[in-house]
Amino acid sequence: MNRAQRGAAGSRGLGTMEVKSKFGAEFRRFSLERSKPGKFEEFYGLLQHVHKIPNVDVLVGYTDIHGDLLPINNDDNYHKAVSTANPLLRIFIQRKEDADYSAFGTDTMTRKKNVLSNVLRPDNHKKKPHIVISMPQDFRPVSSIIDVDILPETHRRVRLYKYGTDKPLGFYIRDGSSVRVTPHGLEKVPGIFISRLVPGGLAQSTGLLAVNDEVLEVNGIEVSGKSLDQVTDMMIANSRNLIITVRPANQRNNVVRNSRTSGSSGHSTESSLPSSTPNLLGSVLQAEEESDEEDIIIEDSGEPQHIPKAAPTSESIESLSQIELLHESTQNGFLPSSEVNLNHSAGSINMEYEVPEPGPKSLEEDGTIITL
Amino acid sequence: MRRFLRPGHDPVRERLKRDLFQFNKTVEHGFPHQPSALGYSPFLRLMAIGTRSGAIKLYGAPGVEFMGLHEENNTVMQIHFIPDQCQLVTLLDDNSLHLWSLKQHGGASELREEHRFTLKGPPGSPPSATQVTAVLPHSSREVLYLGTESGNIFVVELPSFRVLEDRTITPEAVLQRIPEDNCNRRSCELVEALREHPKNPDQILIGYSRALIVLWDLQNNKAIHHFLGSQQLENLYWQRDGSKFISCHYDGSYTQWPVSSDNRQSEPLENTVPYGPFPCKAISKIYWQTTKNGLPYIIFQGGMPRASYGDRHSISVIHGSQQTAFDFTSRVIDFFIIFSSDPAAEFDDPSALVVLAEEELVVIDLKSAGWPAVHPPYLASLHCSAITCSHHVSNIPLKLWERIISAGSKQNIHYSSMPWPIDGGTNIAPDPPQRDLLLTGHEDGTVRFWDASGVCLHLLYKLSTVRVFLTDADPNDNMNTLGEDEWPPLRKVGTFDPYSDDPRLGIQKIYLCKYSGYLAVAGTAGQVLVMELNDEDAEHVVDHAEADLLQDQEGYRWKGHEKLKTRDGPVRFEAGFQPFVLVQCQPPAVVTSLALHSEWKLVAFGTSHGFGLFDHQQKRLVFVKCTLHPSDQLALEGPLSRVKSLKKSLRQSFRRIRRSRVSSRKRRGGAGNASEVQEANAKFDQDVLQEMELAPVQRKIEARSAEDSFTGFVRTLYFADTFLRDSSRHCPSLWAGTNGGTVYAFCLRVPPAERRMDEPVRAEQAKEIQLMHRAPVVGILVLDGRSTPLPEPLEVAHDLSKSPDMQGSHQLLVVSEEQFKVFTLPKVSSKLKLKLTALEGCRVRKVTVANFGSCKTDDYSENDLAVLTNLGDIQIISLPFLKLQIRYPCIRKEDVSGIASCVFTKYGQGFYLISPSEFERFSLSTKWLVEPRCIVDIPELTSNNHVHNESGKENASRKPSPGDCEEDERKSGRLMEHALLNDEKVLKEIQSTLEGGR
């Protein structure tokens, strides 16, 4: 099969579909009938066959259109993988014994430094495996509560991952007033509140936001003093990765934590946000900058590609590694302090890479997907 | 360059910023919104205009301007200059009196409020007792006579405003010497007019509303004469020698009364109803001016036959057998006559009639035959047809400037050659640094060229695109045709004409190439005209082409307006810009973006459906590109025309809101008191807060999607010679940005000059960038190897710019409403970004590259981005590192049309509309500052009047109140045509209103 033919087949998107499978350092290419993908068992067998690993237990994953690494372990997600593959289906195979479950999920491909180094070179990365509770049931997080350790108990910082889901964010905000404690006593100040949740929307489905919750921050920027329209614009501008800090209207379901033993963050019961949060969150924000924005370029009417970053400055890498840390930890429910050493290596990895959706002209197609 | 990289506060950079940037609101151009009073000082030769929002503006010789603002923001009812002084008194509708004076300060005169005063009656008296209806500044300059509704005339001392109670002229005192059978107490209610005897300062004429007129002796405190009219009195006027006076009345009559010392009750000499015999409207003001030849000029306002011409706003001039009723398109506020002010002169010899109408200032030359109008050097009615767009061109080459002026002078031949008669004060401002043009597009299809170099915004030339099209209106319908035997002898004057014959003619985009004289103009019905400057009249055929922007999209029906019909055959054009190419977009939606490349002879245009490129040399359409999302029904069907009626009602309701609020809030902030502004703001915020609590507004939070409406709307077009395909060869390119966050780049092949007519221009799509945040793209710019924006077409050819650096790698700057992003070229990879909306919650409305020079050294200047946000802030952002330099609040965020109308100049100045008729000029640069600076001196006194002030010279002026007087200027923004068409947010609002209504 020469390159031109493959390109044509890929862009036509009918009939057969190209599959590129990777196990360890080896690639296999083959094609599948798009209309009749068959069952997962058969596919699993086929993979074992083409990689000549008939008796090895493996985990199968694929990258979806957003660049996330998602598992294939039943007929449903197998069919989903086949139907969404465009133009080719990228498969990653790991041995079950050294599988890294944290590799799966949102932003996995952009966190490639550690994720992919784990996937590709499992043997040279001798870290302790995570405590595996079960296979991820939900393939991609849709929301999370973050920064629990640094926020006052009355506040909640919620991250909504619009990225990768078709669900609308699905909420409305309004103006209102809240009561603050000031040196002059109680004072009524204007505030922004959640006014409505759309049934079936992302916000409602998370259960983390409710009507009449007061919005305090949007992606680390305080909203006090800003108009409803400004806050609306800020939320929409951040809609692909929205982090909102709220004071829930219902304070009974707050996370009860022992702030004395958690160590890293002591100040928690003040009514205003601790001064350290903007910095920490600022780094989160920068992380989002790197991951949430992927503009698409179409060259000469070819295939759409993500626009790569030009060589980043050293500081952004630093901040990136720090965010990784936060991000990772919150995802797995750990406090960052326990994992600090885990990602130290990340800072030294060059960020430049080709996005793993090569158009027909990409010269790197047959090589590794990371350009170091 | 390294200093840009350093974060935080670099003291060197901070110092440099101070030398580069400075925000000032410098001058208001145009005609004051809602004028309410007029005053004139023949002594200073200055004119004063008061407005309903409490502003007073003084004008003298061109360039001499002062502005003051009453803190009360109440309507100015009357303005009276103190005789032979640099002082004036204003009366507001809250019955307060204010004394203003012009004083010299720092080498220039300034206008300052000195005192304020409200007349207080005895406790328990009704408010009408002290409601001032007439003001007479006495020639002694020591007292003011205040006539009131109660009929009392109070005397207050100047400048202290102390009431001299013993000198009050009460109705009782007046009635003492008048036989009771003629008058009673009620005859003396409401003082309508107070006039000082022109020769004897000890006598004043008091006119009461019920037609009793009394000549009062101030020395002896008694009535010398009384005159009894039969009709309600409107006004009085003394003849120059003091032997007679004229009264004018509610029934449209005027009466001439003799004043002689023998009998105390006089009979009228003459009583006339000039437009009788049928009932007439009131004559509200009258002048009787004597001349050498004995025939007086009788000039009066109103008096038209009630039934047939009652709706006219007229001022009649009668001089012997000549009689003309000047007919104004808007209400006459007031008028005055400029006549010989020399007290020794025997006759008045009027030279000019100055009329302040609600929407314009008209000056009539009374010396020249036919009484032609005088072309005013300032106070231009920008809104004679509503402004739909504006375009600024800096630093016009002298040659083009002269050609435009010469074209304009041919249009102005019907104006009088009289020098501007209001010529007080001296302009001491330095000459404007360069020749700047401001072009305004109007609803009626005209483009007006304004000299925006200096303080006086002056009309140079008016271009009409109407001739190209067939419209219902007959272009030869001349307003000034005057039938021989018509009665009354009405003559239309002025330029204010708010009625557009066909809204499709409206101008939406303008692009002028100052080097070649090519002008591209695009309008509401998808018409794009390319014009060339011709110094002669010419008759030629306009080449006509159609651009089908929908291309293969079929099955859709455009429900908007039809395209304009073109005139077949040759059309005669007057000297000036003459169209030679017309491209009509199909569907004929409003043109939303326009770019002209005069070197390549290409014009690009975009609508809500797509964009096209036209070769105006070969007169051939190069390509079109449809940007429409197939599901975007709203854009397909022509939403802009569907909302037309809605727009009107919106506009009306906003007007109502404005009317109700404007009096209390407009121009809040006073002349320079920041803390008061803040207080006012805080109060306002509180009010807003309360309003919100009453009716909470919800906002939907949702990511943008490709299916949103109007994503295909082309917001910006840009030509660049850059590296589009590979880094070894650069080529001409066309860039387009849409509302949905897409950028298209086309590689162009323009044949070399010698084969330009033989080979076609070719275009090929080279890139398409989809911004993930999908916010509207409002600006595209290519930076050369030195990170300098590419020069304008022909700029290098005219040696006015260094040629761009084609060695280093180019960068692409894409400005969306939410972010600034820099990409590398030719391989597009993202390099830098500034996420404005995510950080600040504001969105980019306007963006321009501006050059800022240092005020300290002549050899340093840099290019930055000047950005106006939807909050009305102006931000300066550095290039190429996208660092925020400085932020200034400029326009109130509620002022949608003000924000939509803003244009930046290339050298860090800008203009925006503060009302339909006024541009505020502001400057961001320390170096380029155009502001009024003038001196008003007291002329040498010829009479024996003593001079009060020690220096012998008293001066006055307007401080260019930096930045505060406009802040709170207007409450709810008016929605104007251009605001609607250009403002995506407004479109969305309308759209949601429509959806909600279904």
Side-chain angles (χ1 to χ4, degrees):
Chain A
M1 198 191 243
N2 69 35
R3 191 171 294 270
Q5 279 170 325
R6 264 196 282 126
S11 59
R12 220 170 46 235
L14 312 158
T16 58
M17 175 193 57
E18 196 180 337
V19 181
K20 187 168 147 187
S21 171
K22 183 163 190 180
F23 175 70
E26 284 185 52
F27 286 104
R28 294 289 184 275
R29 287 179 172 281
F30 56 92
S31 62
L32 276 180
E33 198 72 13
R34 195 185 276 274
S35 50
K36 287 180 282 185
K39 291 198 177 303
F40 171 68
E41 305 299 332
E42 298 163 25
F43 181 64
Y44 189 79
L46 179 63
L47 289 177
Q48 286 182 323
H49 173 71
V50 297
H51 281 284
K52 301 197 173 68
I53 42 169
N55 297 317
V56 182
D57 271 351
V58 293
L59 277 184
V60 182
Y62 75 103
T63 54
D64 78 343
I65 49 164
H66 305 291
D68 294 344
L69 184 61
L70 301 178
I72 299 182
N73 51 15
N74 57 37
D75 285 353
D76 285 344
N77 51 29
Y78 170 54
H79 289 157
K80 173 84 176 164
V82 170
S83 62
T84 58
N86 186 26
L88 88 171
L89 179 63
R90 292 180 169 279
I91 300 290
F92 292 93
I93 301 170
Q94 304 176 65
R95 280 176 202 278
K96 223 166 205 168
E97 49 267 38
D98 29 64
D100 175 14
Y101 295 102
S102 69
F104 293 100
T106 302
D107 302 341
T108 46
M109 296 317 284
T110 49
R111 288 189 294 141
K112 79 270 121 214
K113 325 179 268 272
N114 46 6
V115 171
L116 286 173
S117 59
N118 291 349
V119 175
L120 299 174
R121 291 183 295 277
D123 41 1
N124 66 10
H125 200 94
K126 292 291 180 199
K127 61 156 182 148
K128 269 197 200 146
H130 295 250
I131 303 158
V132 177
I133 298 160
S134 66
M135 276 295 290
Q137 295 301 304
D138 196 355
F139 294 154
R140 184 184 290 117
V142 293
S143 64
S144 49
I145 300 185
I146 59 175
D147 296 341
V148 178
D149 56 322
I150 53 172
L151 283 177
E153 281 161 9
T154 52
H155 297 177
R156 179 185 295 165
R157 187 167 289 164
V158 177
R159 180 171 179 179
L160 296 176
Y161 303 80
K162 163 71 181 149
Y163 188 48
T165 70
D166 297 332
K167 273 187 187 170
L169 285 170
F171 67 101
Y172 290 70
I173 56 173
R174 63 167 170 89
D175 278 304
S177 60
S178 71
V179 176
R180 291 277 156 80
V181 186
T182 68
H184 319 290
L186 292 181
E187 228 172 61
K188 219 173 164 191
V189 293
I192 304 287
F193 295 84
I194 293 176
S195 61
R196 191 180 146 200
L197 298 179
V198 178
L202 193 56
Q204 193 219 32
S205 67
T206 65
L208 300 176
L209 298 172
V211 171
N212 293 331
D213 285 0
E214 185 183 358
V215 177
L216 304 171
E217 291 178 349
V218 176
N219 288 52
I221 313 278
E222 279 193 51
V223 305
S224 75
K226 293 203 157 58
S227 69
L228 182 64
D229 286 330
Q230 274 178 285
V231 177
T232 306
D233 283 339
M234 286 167 69
M235 287 188 171
I236 291 174
N238 286 306
S239 59
R240 299 180 62 78
N241 201 334
L242 184 60
I243 300 171
I244 46 182
T245 310
V246 294
R247 189 207 313 271
N250 180 353
Q251 290 281 341
R252 276 175 299 178
N253 298 335
N254 290 342
V255 180
V256 181
R257 73 186 134 81
N258 191 337
S259 59
R260 298 288 158 250
T261 56
S262 70
S264 63
S265 59
H267 43 292
S268 57
T269 47
E270 296 161 40
S271 60
S272 68
L273 292 179
S275 56
S276 62
T277 44
N279 301 332
L280 279 162
L281 198 71
S283 59
V284 173
L285 279 173
Q286 274 203 316
E288 302 324 329
E289 294 230 12
E290 303 305 324
S291 61
D292 69 341
E293 292 282 332
E294 295 205 343
D295 301 335
I296 289 171
I297 173 91
I298 303 172
E299 301 262 1
D300 295 325
S301 311
E303 290 297 317
Q305 294 186 36
H306 287 301
I307 293 179
K309 302 273 179 300
T313 60
S314 56
E315 54 193 317
S316 73
I317 287 189
E318 259 170 54
S319 59
L320 201 87
S321 65
Q322 204 186 346
I323 314 117
E324 274 321 323
L325 174 150
L326 274 172
H327 181 173
E328 184 107 347
S329 63
T330 51
Q331 230 179 17
N332 292 298
F334 285 113
L335 294 175
S337 53
S338 65
E339 292 190 349
V340 169
N341 54 352
L342 199 149
N343 288 298
H344 260 308
S345 57
S348 62
I349 292 175
N350 195 321
M351 282 291 297
E352 209 172 281
Y353 64 96
E354 292 272 319
V355 177
E357 264 188 64
K361 291 197 170 172
S362 171
L363 294 174
E364 301 283 3
E365 194 179 336
D366 290 331
T368 164
I369 56 163
I370 298 176
T371 312
L372 288 175
Chain B
M1 277 296 156
R2 236 181 51 237
R3 63 175 166 261
F4 292 104
L5 293 168
R6 266 184 250 157
H9 293 280
D10 173 356
V12 178
R13 180 64 192 164
E14 292 301 312
R15 215 173 305 130
L16 182 58
K17 271 155 73 169
R18 277 197 297 277
D19 295 346
L20 292 171
F21 312 124
Q22 182 187 47
F23 181 72
N24 279 303
K25 291 188 180 175
T26 53
V27 59
E28 290 171 12
H29 294 305
F31 184 77
H33 186 53
Q34 297 182 314
S36 56
L38 176 71
Y40 177 68
S41 166
F43 170 73
L44 298 173
R45 302 182 74 84
L46 288 180
M47 167 178 67
I49 295 176
T51 73
R52 292 203 359 211
S53 50
I56 55 166
K57 295 181 167 195
L58 269 60
Y59 298 90
V64 177
E65 292 191 27
F66 303 100
M67 196 193 133
L69 187 61
H70 295 91
E71 268 169 43
E72 290 85 351
N73 300 119
N74 281 42
T75 300
V76 180
M77 303 298 286
Q78 296 184 27
I79 301 175
H80 300 274
F81 281 90
I82 312 290
D84 305 338
Q85 290 286 304
C86 283
Q87 283 181 319
L88 60 152
V89 170
T90 55
L91 170 68
L92 304 192
D93 67 350
D94 65 354
N95 205 35
S96 63
L97 286 155
H98 302 255
L99 178 69
W100 296 79
S101 61
L102 286 163
K103 289 215 165 131
Q104 209 164 31
H105 182 262
S109 298
E110 288 179 5
L111 180 64
R112 289 215 188 125
E113 189 179 345
E114 301 263 294
H115 287 285
R116 69 186 69 185
F117 166 72
T118 304
L119 194 59
K120 293 210 173 56
S125 60
S128 69
T130 53
Q131 182 69 47
V132 178
T133 52
V135 178
L136 171 66
H138 194 256
S139 60
S140 68
R141 306 188 296 264
E142 283 159 356
V143 289
L144 278 183
Y145 291 91
L146 304 175
T148 62
E149 244 172 51
S150 61
N152 282 306
I153 297 159
F154 295 93
V155 186
V156 295
E157 198 178 55
L158 278 178
S160 63
F161 279 124
R162 192 164 61 88
V163 181
L164 305 171
E165 276 172 27
D166 53 322
R167 290 170 68 176
T168 303
I169 305 166
T170 61
E172 290 73 23
V174 170
L175 287 172
Q176 266 177 11
R177 311 217 22 200
I178 293 168
E180 251 177 62
D181 49 333
N182 295 347
C183 304
N184 53 30
R185 173 65 183 81
R186 295 200 61 199
S187 311
C188 292
E189 274 179 7
L190 208 155
V191 179
E192 200 68 65
L194 288 171
R195 296 280 178 263
E196 184 180 328
H197 192 287
K199 300 287 179 198
N200 182 357
D202 290 334
Q203 292 183 1
I204 60 170
L205 199 58
I206 306 167
Y208 295 96
S209 177
R210 286 174 191 263
L212 174 67
I213 303 161
V214 173
L215 183 62
W216 185 260
D217 186 333
L218 296 170
Q219 289 293 343
N220 306 313
N221 263 326
K222 60 170 190 179
I224 305 170
H225 289 286
H226 73 274
F227 311 86
L228 203 59
S230 55
Q231 287 292 332
Q232 193 180 321
L233 183 75
E234 287 285 322
N235 218 324
L236 295 171
Y237 186 80
W238 274 110
Q239 290 186 22
R240 193 175 182 90
D241 60 1
S243 66
K244 285 171 231 156
F245 69 88
I246 318 291
S247 63
C248 56
H249 301 274
Y250 182 75
D251 66 339
S253 66
Y254 65 85
T255 311
Q256 202 180 170
W257 305 85
V259 181
S260 54
S261 46
D262 33 319
N263 64 335
R264 294 216 348 259
Q265 186 184 351
S266 311
E267 287 307 312
L269 277 181
E270 182 201 5
N271 186 2
T272 322
V273 184
Y275 293 109
F278 298 110
C280 289
K281 299 267 280 191
I283 292 178
S284 48
K285 186 171 181 179
I286 190 162
Y287 277 82
W288 183 290
Q289 301 266 287
T290 55
T291 60
K292 259 192 211 87
N293 65 14
L295 286 175
Y297 278 89
I298 304 162
I299 300 166
F300 58 88
Q301 175 187 351
M304 283 283 136
R306 196 168 274 278
S308 38
Y309 296 96
D311 56 341
R312 300 302 179 103
H313 314 290
S314 71
I315 289 183
S316 302
V317 180
I318 303 171
H319 179 59
S321 61
Q322 294 177 63
Q323 177 163 2
T324 299
F326 293 102
D327 185 7
F328 299 88
T329 52
S330 56
R331 196 165 60 88
V332 173
I333 304 295
D334 201 355
F335 72 101
F336 63 85
I337 309 292
I338 296 175
F339 55 88
S340 169
S341 59
D342 178 4
E346 199 177 339
F347 302 103
D348 291 317
D349 277 326
S351 55
L353 160 68
V354 180
V355 183
L356 177 69
E358 182 134 50
E359 307 289 357
E360 63 187 326
L361 181 82
V362 176
V363 177
I364 304 290
D365 173 5
L366 295 176
K367 291 272 193 198
S368 308
W371 298 332
V374 184
H375 192 50
Y378 45 67
L379 285 167
S381 281
L382 298 169
H383 62 320
C384 37
S385 168
I387 294 179
T388 43
C389 65
S390 17
H391 174 72
H392 186 273
V393 192
S394 300
N395 216 353
I396 304 285
L398 184 61
K399 183 74 193 150
L400 178 67
W401 188 257
E402 284 171 345
R403 292 176 72 191
I404 292 173
I405 288 178
S406 111
S409 64
K410 287 176 192 153
Q411 297 177 323
N412 290 340
I413 42 173
H414 60 278
Y415 281 113
S416 161
S417 56
M418 177 193 232
W420 184 244
I422 303 164
D423 54 2
T426 316
N427 181 9
I428 54 166
D431 281 342
Q434 54 189 22
R435 288 172 295 274
D436 286 357
L437 265 184
L438 181 67
L439 279 68
T440 52
H442 298 262
E443 204 176 24
D444 63 353
T446 57
V447 178
R448 283 169 167 80
F449 289 61
W450 305 92
D451 174 359
S453 322
V455 170
C456 293
L457 192 72
H458 179 67
L459 181 68
L460 294 178
Y461 165 71
K462 180 179 128 182
L463 161 73
S464 176
T465 61
V466 182
R467 282 182 166 277
V468 182
F469 305 103
L470 277 172
T471 54
D472 303 334
D474 181 2
N476 295 322
D477 177 19
N478 194 338
M479 296 198 300
N480 287 344
T481 47
L482 175 63
E484 282 297 303
D485 48 355
E486 243 176 85
W487 188 261
L490 287 168
R491 190 173 115 196
K492 283 260 184 215
V493 283
T495 54
F496 179 73
D497 176 19
Y499 307 105
S500 169
D501 301 322
D502 189 338
R504 294 176 298 169
L505 292 167
I507 305 294
Q508 296 296 334
K509 294 285 161 190
I510 303 170
Y511 189 99
L512 172 68
C513 171
K514 61 184 176 185
Y515 305 110
S516 62
Y518 280 117
L519 171 73
V521 162
T524 306
Q527 73 271 33
V528 179
L529 284 159
V530 186
M531 314 197 196
E532 209 171 5
L533 189 53
N534 186 346
D535 299 324
E536 303 295 329
D537 289 15
E539 189 163 329
H540 58 82
V541 179
V542 177
D543 276 283
H544 177 220
E546 201 161 279
D548 180 12
L549 294 172
L550 282 185
Q551 286 178 291
D552 343 324
Q553 306 249 21
E554 280 184 17
Y556 297 112
R557 203 159 62 83
W558 167 254
K559 293 179 186 163
H561 47 229
E562 285 174 26
K563 68 171 186 176
L564 284 159
K565 286 198 186 71
T566 53
R567 235 171 245 280
D568 297 325
V571 184
R572 181 145 199 91
F573 296 102
E574 58 179 26
F577 288 92
Q578 298 174 345
F580 62 96
V581 158
L582 166 67
V583 183
Q584 287 186 290
C585 297
Q586 198 53 260
V590 54
V591 176
T592 56
S593 55
L594 179 72
L596 176 76
H597 200 293
S598 40
E599 201 169 351
W600 303 336
K601 309 263 194 288
L602 297 172
V603 61
F605 46 89
T607 72
S608 49
H609 303 102
F611 58 98
L613 179 69
F614 191 84
D615 173 359
H616 65 73
Q617 177 96 354
Q618 292 186 22
K619 308 201 168 66
R620 185 184 142 268
L621 190 64
V622 180
F623 78 92
V624 291
K625 165 89 184 170
C626 181
T627 53
L628 197 65
H629 196 279
S631 65
D632 193 355
Q633 283 294 327
L634 216 52
L636 273 168
E637 291 173 355
L640 300 177
S641 56
R642 283 171 60 198
V643 299
K644 188 135 273 168
S645 58
L646 178 72
K647 178 189 78 181
K648 204 171 230 170
S649 67
L650 271 178
R651 192 193 284 171
Q652 278 159 358
S653 57
F654 271 102
R655 255 186 213 149
R656 269 198 300 277
I657 294 169
R658 185 161 45 106
R659 219 169 275 148
S660 64
R661 293 186 179 172
V662 85
S663 56
S664 62
R665 294 214 175 104
K666 205 187 164 189
R667 297 188 197 262
R668 187 194 294 279
N673 194 330
S675 69
E676 272 176 38
V677 176
Q678 274 172 355
E679 243 172 60
N681 276 339
K683 186 181 175 300
F684 175 67
D685 287 346
Q686 209 131 55
D687 292 353
V688 169
L689 188 63
Q690 274 165 6
E691 275 170 38
M692 280 168 178
E693 278 171 27
L694 290 174
V697 190
Q698 288 195 115
R699 291 281 184 273
K700 188 178 181 181
I701 306 298
E702 206 47 77
R704 287 192 193 78
S705 92
E707 279 87 49
D708 284 352
S709 270
F710 300 111
T711 51
F713 198 118
V714 179
R715 291 290 290 266
T716 183
L717 289 162
Y718 178 66
F719 284 109
D721 186 0
T722 188
F723 300 93
L724 193 55
R725 282 241 165 85
D726 57 64
S727 47
S728 54
R729 271 180 311 126
H730 58 93
C731 66
S733 62
L734 172 66
W735 299 76
T738 72
N739 230 24
T742 308
V743 175
Y744 299 95
F746 279 75
C747 191
L748 308 179
R749 212 180 60 79
V750 183
E754 60 276 16
R755 297 197 299 278
R756 184 63 179 80
M757 283 307 283
D758 309 329
E759 294 174 18
V761 176
R762 293 190 195 285
E764 197 182 343
Q765 181 163 341
K767 288 187 196 314
E768 180 182 332
I769 300 171
Q770 174 61 58
L771 301 178
M772 232 30 186
H773 63 287
R774 294 193 188 279
V777 176
V778 293
I780 298 174
L781 186 68
V782 172
L783 307 175
D784 73 3
R786 288 184 294 258
S787 294
T788 308
L790 293 184
E792 282 176 68
L794 293 175
E795 203 174 347
V796 176
H798 284 71
D799 280 338
L800 288 158
S801 166
K802 277 193 278 188
S803 40
D805 180 1
M806 289 301 188
Q807 306 306 316
S809 55
H810 284 197
Q811 297 172 66
L812 170 70
L813 170 69
V814 176
V815 183
S816 79
E817 283 190 359
E818 293 186 352
Q819 300 187 3
F820 298 77
K821 297 192 109 169
V822 174
F823 298 97
T824 58
L825 283 175
K827 179 162 169 47
V828 176
S829 50
S830 75
K831 201 172 168 192
L832 265 179
K833 73 180 135 192
L834 174 66
K835 293 172 83 172
L836 192 68
T837 308
L839 289 171
E840 300 183 28
C842 60
R843 304 162 66 84
V844 178
R845 281 281 174 266
K846 304 273 169 178
V847 61
T848 296
V849 178
N851 186 275
F852 290 93
S854 164
C855 60
K856 294 270 169 68
T857 56
D858 276 341
D859 54 355
Y860 182 80
S861 74
E862 64 178 46
N863 289 308
D864 296 283
L865 291 174
V867 177
L868 176 74
T869 71
N870 66 333
L871 303 181
D873 286 351
I874 289 176
Q875 309 201 348
I876 297 173
I877 291 168
S878 72
L879 279 176
F881 294 105
L882 303 181
K883 296 272 185 248
L884 174 64
Q885 300 297 302
I886 210 151
R887 179 189 302 126
Y888 304 106
C890 180
I891 311 177
R892 284 185 60 83
K893 68 176 181 227
E894 293 82 4
D895 185 4
V896 180
S897 65
I899 292 172
S901 66
C902 179
V903 283
F904 288 109
T905 77
K906 289 239 153 26
Y907 295 94
Q909 296 193 46
F911 301 85
Y912 68 92
L913 288 171
I914 50 174
S915 74
S917 57
E918 287 166 288
F919 272 116
E920 173 77 60
R921 185 188 194 114
F922 61 86
S923 176
L924 302 167
S925 162
T926 51
K927 207 171 177 183
W928 305 98
L929 201 63
V930 173
E931 58 183 346
R933 198 172 157 76
C934 36
I935 287 188
V936 175
D937 287 332
I938 287 196
E940 286 302 310
L941 295 172
T942 49
S943 61
N944 55 356
N945 292 332
H946 56 281
V947 180
H948 280 247
N949 41 13
E950 316 81 55
S951 67
K953 289 198 169 189
E954 210 171 342
N955 298 290
S957 99
R958 158 206 177 179
K959 173 136 182 57
S961 47
D964 44 36
C965 48
E966 299 310 322
E967 232 103 285
D968 299 77
E969 165 123 294
R970 267 130 359 99
K971 234 325 270 167
S972 348
R974 287 138 295 115
L975 294 183
M976 293 168 47
E977 178 87 1
H978 65 275
L980 277 161
L981 297 180
N982 291 341
D983 194 309
E984 174 250 6
K985 198 153 197 170
V986 177
L987 282 176
K988 287 237 164 109
E989 268 165 32
I990 290 167
Q991 187 191 329
S992 61
T993 315
L994 280 173
E995 279 163 2
R998 274 185 202 147

